[in-house]
């Protein structure tokens, strides 16, 4: 039900709808009491705020979920995803999560989830190693999966 709602409700644009649908399905499988609370356009923010992709309710708690993809494309498939790519992606997304938590007015998020999809397993390893080295303030209110 939640995945279908995400799929058929307009979002803020971009090509991320399937990533968000699969993200929700994954969370709902991992945490059986996880229910979709609000889609991207149903969450209310202060003007100019960063936004989050959707929110869920888990045991009565509101949790924001931001979804991103770690990818590296090249014509000849000769460019690898690097630590620099990982740091840029994680820093940008984690900052956005902090800012959307500050700007949300319709919910009270104690934590958010940053759900990162990768093309290859080696990318997940690079992302994890990079995440471990990031400033704790940047990671303060976010679970990364």
């Amino acid at each position: 039900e939640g995945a279908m709602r995400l799929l058929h409700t307009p979002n803020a644009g971009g090509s991320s709808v399937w990533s968000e649908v699969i993200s929700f399905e994954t969370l709902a499988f991992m945490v059986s009491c996880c229910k979709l609370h609000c889609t991207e356009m149903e969450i209310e923010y202060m003007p100019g705020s960063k936004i989050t992709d959707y929110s869920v309710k888990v045991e009565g708690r509101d949790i924001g979920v931001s979804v991103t993809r770690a990818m590296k494309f090249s014509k000849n498939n000769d460019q690898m995803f690097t630590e620099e790519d990982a740091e840029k992606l994680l820093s940008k997304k984690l900052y956005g999560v902090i800012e959307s938590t500050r700007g949300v007015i319709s919910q009270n998020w104690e934590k958010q989830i940053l759900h990162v999809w990768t093309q290859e397993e080696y990318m997940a390893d690079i992302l994890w190693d990079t995440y471990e080295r990031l400033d704790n303030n940047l990671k303060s209110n976010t679970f990364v999966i």
Side-chain angles (χ1 to χ4, degrees):
E1 178 182 316
M4 293 302 287
R5 191 165 136 214
L6 282 168
L7 184 61
H8 295 292
T9 302
N11 68 12
S15 59
S16 61
V17 68
W18 283 106
S19 296
E20 294 165 15
V21 168
I22 296 169
S23 166
F24 174 76
E25 283 291 299
T26 302
L27 286 176
F29 178 79
M30 291 170 44
V31 182
S32 61
C33 61
C34 176
K35 303 292 181 207
L36 181 66
H37 184 228
C38 290
T39 64
E40 187 171 42
M41 299 305 289
E42 294 169 341
I43 302 169
E44 297 176 41
Y45 300 92
M46 292 186 290
S49 176
K50 299 282 187 188
I51 64 174
T52 293
D53 293 311
Y54 64 92
S55 68
V56 295
K57 283 240 186 229
V58 177
E59 296 182 354
R61 293 184 176 177
D62 291 327
I63 300 172
V65 182
S66 185
V67 182
T68 192
R69 295 167 287 189
M71 299 181 164
K72 187 78 170 202
F73 294 107
S74 67
K75 265 188 171 180
N76 302 321
N77 213 17
D78 59 351
Q79 292 185 7
M80 301 293 286
F81 187 82
T82 65
E83 289 181 12
E84 183 179 314
D85 296 323
E87 185 170 351
K88 183 177 177 183
L89 176 68
L90 288 171
S91 295
K92 176 183 174 186
K93 292 309 228 175
L94 290 167
Y95 173 77
V97 165
I98 291 168
E99 290 302 304
S100 69
T101 299
R102 287 183 182 147
V104 70
I105 55 176
S106 62
Q107 298 179 39
N108 184 23
W109 297 327
E110 293 174 32
K111 294 279 186 185
Q112 285 202 56
I113 294 170
L114 175 59
H115 196 160
V116 184
W117 295 108
T118 64
Q119 285 178 292
E120 304 280 344
E121 187 175 343
Y122 85 90
M123 293 175 169
D125 294 337
I126 290 172
L127 285 159
W128 179 252
D129 290 344
T130 302
Y131 176 81
E132 288 291 302
R133 290 192 303 275
L134 291 175
D135 185 281
N136 286 334
N137 290 324
L138 201 54
K139 303 183 287 187
S140 63
N141 77 329
T142 311
F143 297 112
V144 178
I145 59 172

